Amino acid sequence: MWEVSGGPARTPMLEGKQVVVGVTGGIAAYKAAEVVSRLRQLGAEVHVIMTRAATQLVGPLTFQTLSGNPVLTDLFAEPKRWNVEHIALADRADLLLIVPATANILGKLASGIADDYLSTTVMATAAPVVLAPAMHHRMWQNPVVQENVQRLRRLGYEIIEPEHGRLASGGVGMGRLPDPPVIVEAVVRLLGGRRDLDGLKVLVTAGPTRERLDPVRYLSNFSSGKMGYALAAAACRRGAQVILISGPVVLEPPTGVELVAVESAEEMAAEVRRRVGEVKVVVMAAAVADYRPAEPSTRKLKRGPDELALRLVPNADILASLRTQKKDLFLVGFAAETEDLVANARAKLERKHLDLICANRVDLPGCGFGSDTNALTLIDRRGRVVEIPLQDKLKVAHAVWDHVVRMLAEDGGGCLPDP
Ligand code: CTP
C-alpha cells in the first residue's frame, strides 16, 4: 500500500520476484513505463519485452533505463544472456504482465498464435499471466474481442478490466488503461506479497437477518453470506484486522477474523454501533430486513380458519445512520437491484452518504444470493463507475478492496491505523 501509493517503501514487497512486462503497440504504452518503474521500486527484477509496434510508440531505451535490463524485441536477435532466450525468460518469470494489451495480442493469445518474442514467451511460461487491455471503446466492445477475453479468462489469464474514461481518440468510453498503481496492485496481489490493508481495522456485515414471528417462524431472505464472508477473508489476507458481524449462515468463519453472530436486524444494528468506533472502514454486505413483525408472538401461532394479516414495522437503516455516528468512516454499501442498476445505486450512495456502493444485479444468472460467483458495478462518491465481471466471489471481494485501497490512497490517508 505505502509503496504503491508512492510513499516511502517500508519493505520491498516484491524482493526476489522476477516480473516480465510485455508492452504492445497501444497508445497507452507510455503508462507501462510507470508500471515498470513502480515494480522496480517494490524490489522486483523486471524484464521488458516490446512488440515491434510498441517500439514505434515508446523507445526501448526508456524501458531499458527503467528496468535496468536489456529490452527484448527480436526473436531472432543474437542471444544476450541465455541460449533460447524466450524459453529461459518464460522459465524464470514469477509473473508475466502485458500492459497495455491490444486487441491484437488478445486475439493471438486466445488462438494460440506465437509469432514474436512476446507471444512465444507467453506460450512457454507456466507463470500467471496478467493482461491489462486498453483500446478504443468500440474495439473493446467488439464481440470478437469480448469472446477472446472470456476465453482467456476461462484459460486462467488474469484480466485487469479497462476503465471508462477519456480515450486517446478524443472520445469517452470503456477502454482506458487503469492508472499504473491499480495495475501494480494486481501484480502484488497475484505474487502473494500484498499486505496493503496492514494496520487497518474494518467491520464487515454479512448474511441475512431473521425477524421472528413466533418461537418457530421468522421472516428472512435468500442471502447466503458468501459475498460478505469473502470480503472478510480477502481483507484479512491483505493484513486487515476484521470484525465480521454475521446473520445466521451455514459458512465457516474465515481464519483470523473475529466473528460476532447476530440474528435480527436490531441485534445487528446494536453490534455495528457498538463496534464502529474501533474501525476505519465499514462494509455493509448484509441483506438486512427492512421490516420486522410489529408484535412477535411469544407463543407459537396457531392455525385458524381466517386470513392472517401481519403488521410490519420498519427496521432502522444501519448504514444510513453511521455517517452521523462517526464522520471519518469509509462507508461501503451494497445495493441489490433488479433494474436501473446504476441510477438506483447512485441514489442510495447519496442518500446514505456512502463512499462506495456495490450494485448487484441479483436477477442475473451467476450473480447474487447463494451463488459462488458474482458480478458487481462499483459506483464511488467521485462519480466513477467500475464493472467487476462475473467471477469467483473471493476475486470479486479483492476487486472491491482494490477500489477501497485506491480511494483511501486518494484521500491521502493510506491505510493508516486509527489514531
Ligand atoms: N442496510 C442497512 N440497514 C437496513 C437495510 C439495509 O444497513 N435496515 C444496508 C444494506 O446492508 C446495504 C444497503 O443498506 O448495504 C442497501 O440496502 P437495500 O435494501 O438494497 O436498500 P434500501 O435502502 O433498503 O432500498 P430498497 O430496499 O428500496 O432498494
Side-chain angles (χ1 to χ4, degrees):
M1 174 64 224
W2 285 93
E3 297 85 339
V4 173
S5 62
R10 285 193 286 193
T11 45
M13 279 194 272
L14 300 180
E15 190 76 63
K17 300 287 183 192
Q18 304 255 348
V19 180
V20 174
V21 176
V23 184
T24 66
I27 201 72
Y30 73 95
K31 288 194 188 172
E34 191 182 339
V35 172
V36 169
S37 163
R38 284 175 178 267
L39 289 172
R40 268 201 92 196
Q41 283 172 38
L42 293 178
E45 182 170 343
V46 182
H47 297 276
V48 177
I49 304 175
M50 296 179 81
T51 61
R52 193 185 298 274
T55 61
Q56 303 286 310
L57 293 159
V58 185
L61 192 56
T62 302
F63 287 105
Q64 182 171 324
T65 311
L66 292 171
S67 69
N69 280 311
V71 171
L72 306 155
T73 50
D74 185 355
L75 192 54
F76 299 104
E78 193 68 357
K80 293 184 184 76
R81 290 191 184 167
W82 309 291
N83 272 340
V84 187
E85 218 170 349
H86 63 280
I87 301 293
L89 202 52
D91 277 348
R92 288 168 50 136
D94 292 302
L95 183 140
L96 215 144
L97 165 72
I98 302 187
V99 55
T102 55
N104 184 49
I105 191 79
L106 297 177
K108 281 205 237 177
L109 298 181
S111 345
I113 296 173
D115 63 350
D116 63 5
Y117 212 120
L118 182 58
S119 46
T120 44
T121 308
V122 174
M123 195 153 293
T125 193
V129 179
V130 184
L131 307 171
M135 63 198 74
H136 185 266
H137 63 96
R138 275 197 298 277
M139 289 177 79
W140 175 247
Q141 275 147 13
N142 185 302
V144 175
V145 173
Q146 284 302 312
E147 250 180 61
N148 286 339
V149 169
Q150 298 309 335
R151 178 168 163 73
L152 289 166
R153 201 175 266 129
R154 279 199 305 276
L155 291 169
Y157 289 81
E158 190 77 22
I159 312 278
I160 303 175
E161 288 285 305
E163 290 183 347
H164 190 270
R166 186 157 293 283
L167 303 170
S169 59
V172 172
M174 205 71 179
R176 198 170 165 272
L177 190 75
D179 288 338
V182 177
I183 295 167
V184 172
E185 269 292 321
V187 172
V188 171
R189 171 166 53 86
L190 282 160
L191 287 173
R194 183 165 59 171
R195 301 281 296 175
D196 58 356
L197 298 181
D198 248 344
L200 193 74
K201 193 160 178 181
V202 306
L203 189 158
V204 178
T205 66
T209 63
R210 283 182 186 170
E211 311 300 320
R212 280 181 189 240
L213 282 164
D214 70 13
V216 296
R217 302 184 181 93
Y218 55 83
L219 296 177
S220 191
N221 57 63
F222 289 113
S223 169
S224 64
K226 285 179 186 168
M227 193 63 240
Y229 275 55
L231 283 156
C236 190
R237 269 191 216 171
R238 289 163 77 153
Q241 238 182 299
V242 184
I243 304 169
L244 173 61
I245 300 183
S246 174
V249 295
V250 290
L251 304 170
E252 280 295 310
T255 317
V257 160
E258 180 189 347
L259 179 74
V260 180
V262 296
E263 187 180 282
S264 65
E266 283 183 306
E267 282 173 31
M268 184 171 279
E271 282 302 327
V272 171
R273 290 190 191 122
R274 195 168 68 81
R275 304 300 300 270
V276 79
E278 301 167 38
V279 303
K280 170 75 188 164
V281 180
V282 174
V283 182
M284 281 290 304
V288 186
D290 285 323
Y291 294 90
R292 65 178 185 277
E295 289 122 12
S297 170
T298 49
R299 284 187 294 179
K300 187 173 171 236
L301 297 172
K302 288 288 180 201
R303 184 189 168 91
D306 303 327
E307 279 184 7
L308 178 67
L310 286 176
R311 201 163 64 82
L312 303 177
V313 290
N315 279 323
D317 189 323
I318 306 171
L319 189 53
S321 69
L322 290 178
R323 180 68 70 210
T324 34
Q325 195 183 337
K326 193 177 174 203
K327 292 265 171 307
D328 63 345
L329 276 178
F330 189 98
L331 285 179
V332 185
F334 270 72
E337 306 290 350
T338 49
E339 63 233 319
D340 294 334
L341 181 94
V342 173
N344 283 340
R346 188 170 280 142
K348 271 178 207 172
L349 174 101
E350 282 163 15
R351 194 170 71 242
K352 302 193 189 197
H353 306 287
L354 308 181
D355 296 285
L356 179 66
I357 192 148
C358 311
N360 213 341
R361 273 295 300 264
V362 280
D363 55 336
L364 292 184
C367 285
F369 292 165
S371 161
D372 287 328
T373 54
N374 205 6
L376 293 177
T377 304
L378 304 187
I379 299 144
D380 71 19
R381 72 169 131 78
R382 292 168 186 260
R384 280 178 298 219
V385 176
V386 177
E387 296 292 342
I388 303 179
L390 188 70
Q391 57 198 313
D392 179 85
K393 279 184 172 165
L394 189 62
K395 281 192 176 168
V396 173
H398 275 294
V400 172
W401 286 115
D402 288 347
H403 203 82
V404 172
V405 164
R406 175 181 179 178
M407 288 185 74
L408 288 171
E410 286 168 352
D411 291 350
C415 291
L416 281 171
D418 274 347

